[in-house]
Structure formats: C-alpha cells, structure tokens
Amino acid sequence: MNAPLITIGLPFYNNESTLMLAIQSILTQSITNWKLILINDGSTDSSPSIAQEFASKDKRVLYIDDFQNRGLIYRLNQISDLTETKYLARMDSDDIMMPDRLKKQLDFLILNPEVDLLDTALYTIDELGNPVGLRGDCDIATNKIDILKSTMLNHATIVGKTSWFRANKYDPKYVRAEDYELWIRTHDYSNFKRLKIPLYIVREGRVSVKNYVKSMNTLRIIFSNYGPNILSGLQLKIEIFKTYLKSGIYIFAGFFNFQHLLSQRRNAPLETEQKVYVSEVISNIGKVII
C-alpha cells in the first residue's frame, strides 16, 4: 500500500447513534490509503467504545481521548497539528461520506496544486436517515460582499492542504460560526474551489434554537469586525438587523417545534430517483462490518 496522502479528522461528542455509520462510510471509500484521527471530546455515552473498537482493529486509525470537553474549535485545531499527511479532510460525527468522496477530492487537488481548500455539494438527510435535499451544487462566492453575507464553503465537506490548516487556525472567539469567520479572514490570499457534485451527506435534525441564537450572536461580532471595510454603513445595519430577525423567527418556530422546516429551505428538493439512490448508498454503508 502506498503511503497515505490524506487524513480524516473526526472529533465526536456523545454521538453513539451516528458515529458507527460515519466510520463505516470511511471504510467503504474507494481508496484505502488514508489515516483517521478519532478524537473524543469528553463524551459521556457509548461513542468512545465504538471509536475504540474501530481503532483496535485498524492500524490506520489513531484514537485520542484526554477525557475533557474542550469544544469543536479546539479539536479542529488539534487535528491539524496532529496530521502528518499532505492533505486533511473534515468530517462530522453525524454525517456520511459518499464512497468516492476522498478519491475525487484528492484527484482534483493533485491535479490543481495551487488550490488550498476544496469543498463539494452535499445531500441532506433527516434524523431518521431519510433523504431530504441537495445543497451547494453552485459556484462559491468570490465577491467580498457575498462572502460576508453568506458562508462561502460547506465546512464538513472540505479537503485541503494540511499546511493551510496549520497556518490558518480557527479562532475560538467565533463559536458556532468559526468556519464562516475563517473564510472571510483568509479568502484574499487563499485559493478555494468547489466540486459541484454531492460527495457528502449531512444529517440535519431539529435545529437547536439556543445554538442558532448563539450563531446569530457570533455573526454580529463578525459583521462588526469585518463589515466596516466591506459594507456601507446602511448595509451593515441591515445585515445586523437580519440576525436579530432570524433569531426571532427561529425562537417563534421553536415554540411550535417546526424550526426544522426553516433549515430545509436551504435545500433543493430531490427527485424520487435521487432519494432512492441516496437511501441505497446509506443502506450499503450500514452493512459494513468493522
């Protein structure tokens, strides 16, 4: 086997119901020369046992547990420091990789060495694993105003140069919008690209209203720090007002427990054939035995 070019960084916290499938989707990748870093962020459920079992049976896996809950931003920066391969892939512990994800992103990066980060389009599924929609099958934003107004890349789908991640750490001041701030901070001197094909599956459950409000609070900090150099005074006030408005809408929707319908509006609907295809992929991944 050739020396691995890529490491998958997978931090997890109390994901006993989804972690197995996430790991199984790595096992079914069409390339096999990868490394996997599993980091337990202080879980109190059975997810550490799932991760440990996988690590005990596969030498490609590094399991790390410091028995502390430090949060996602700390773990993402820790992963880039630990990675020894040229490329690093993001993954969340409740998501699923399409079987060709790593191969197609690696092929593109090898052919285009000037690219720093590469994301992809993605499918979305609900809490039960039912296919819901498609997102990100469009060009990424390049205009500074557009980049400020909406997140530039699909964070969990990213594969990039490990050296880039090490040189551009996530800032702990921007909890729940750390990726958004990172793209704004770095896009002037970075080369970001997208594969407009869905190579990743994101699980979208019921959105936590509390977490959504925290995200809006962080967005206001981002607008205050970066907006004055990009937006006019009136434009900045409008964008900040929108964060309060969105928070209010989600709080109202959460009162009636239908906030998930707001999140689904970000997706393009799937055709019946697409739903069948995604369901079959997930079913096949779930049959893999560790």
Side-chain angles (χ1 to χ4, degrees):
M1 182 182 297
N2 296 328
L5 282 175
I6 190 165
T7 296
I8 306 108
L10 204 169
F12 63 91
Y13 173 72
N14 287 350
N15 296 112
E16 63 183 3
S17 64
T18 61
L19 183 60
M20 176 68 75
L21 192 59
I23 295 173
Q24 288 171 314
S25 76
I26 299 170
L27 280 175
T28 58
Q29 288 298 293
S30 57
I31 62 171
T32 58
N33 58 331
W34 42 259
K35 290 186 176 181
L36 171 61
I37 297 177
L38 292 169
I39 297 187
N40 178 25
D41 190 37
S43 298
T44 57
D45 66 358
S46 65
S47 51
S49 297
I50 296 170
Q52 287 174 316
E53 181 183 4
F54 183 49
S56 69
K57 296 179 179 180
D58 198 314
K59 295 180 180 180
R60 296 171 295 180
V61 179
L62 174 65
Y63 174 71
I64 295 175
D65 192 346
D66 60 11
F67 306 99
Q68 297 186 58
N69 178 236
R70 297 177 181 269
L72 178 61
I73 296 176
Y74 180 92
R75 298 306 180 187
L76 293 179
N77 289 332
Q78 181 183 14
I79 286 169
S80 63
D81 287 338
L82 291 169
T83 297
E84 298 176 346
T85 55
K86 183 174 182 178
Y87 297 106
L88 172 60
R90 279 274 292 113
M91 186 173 189
D92 287 333
S93 53
D94 51 357
D95 295 343
I96 304 165
M97 291 187 190
M98 298 295 286
D100 279 338
R101 183 227 173 161
L102 294 181
K103 181 182 186 304
K104 289 185 176 180
Q105 288 186 275
L106 265 182
D107 285 348
F108 183 94
L109 288 168
I110 291 170
L111 288 173
N112 300 274
E114 74 281 2
V115 174
D116 295 305
L117 298 183
L118 177 69
D119 81 339
T120 78
L122 56 88
Y123 293 114
T124 62
I125 58 176
D126 63 18
E127 293 170 293
L128 300 177
N130 300 309
V132 174
L134 174 67
R135 190 160 71 241
D137 58 337
C138 56
D139 293 328
I140 60 175
T142 56
N143 179 279
K144 285 188 177 182
I145 294 178
D146 293 334
I147 293 169
L148 183 64
K149 287 184 177 182
S150 61
T151 187
M152 189 177 186
L153 303 171
N154 294 318
H155 190 204
T157 73
I158 286 172
V159 173
K161 296 174 181 175
T162 302
S163 58
W164 187 94
F165 284 104
R166 286 179 179 165
N168 300 281
K169 294 297 184 68
Y170 295 90
D171 191 325
K173 296 195 298 291
Y174 299 98
V175 176
R176 300 205 61 78
E178 65 280 344
D179 55 329
Y180 184 22
E181 187 275 336
L182 183 59
W183 318 147
I184 295 170
R185 171 164 38 100
T186 61
H187 77 275
D188 275 345
Y189 57 82
S190 301
N191 192 333
F192 301 149
K193 296 294 181 183
R194 167 171 293 170
L195 288 178
K196 293 184 284 187
I197 52 176
L199 296 175
Y200 194 88
I201 303 172
V202 167
R203 190 183 304 271
E204 293 189 324
R206 292 190 177 274
V207 177
S208 164
V209 173
K210 181 179 179 181
N211 286 340
Y212 186 85
V213 171
K214 286 182 179 178
S215 297
M216 292 300 103
N217 290 341
T218 302
L219 284 187
R220 286 193 285 276
I221 297 173
I222 291 173
F223 285 136
S224 297
N225 289 345
Y226 295 97
N229 295 325
I230 299 173
L231 303 175
S232 68
L234 178 59
Q235 288 175 319
L236 182 57
K237 289 179 181 178
I238 291 173
E239 293 305 315
I240 290 176
F241 172 76
K242 286 180 180 178
T243 65
Y244 286 107
L245 180 62
K246 290 177 181 178
S247 292
I249 291 173
Y250 264 82
I251 291 171
F252 178 79
F255 182 79
F256 295 99
N257 205 29
F258 59 75
Q259 68 272 26
H260 61 289
L261 298 177
L262 298 175
S263 298
Q264 290 178 7
R265 294 180 61 192
R266 297 181 296 174
N267 303 318
L270 296 177
E271 301 290 339
T272 300
E273 294 80 3
Q274 291 174 302
K275 291 182 179 180
V276 171
Y277 169 65
V278 174
S279 294
E280 288 178 348
V281 169
I282 295 172
S283 176
N284 289 334
I285 290 171
K287 296 176 183 176
V288 172
I289 299 174
I290 294 180

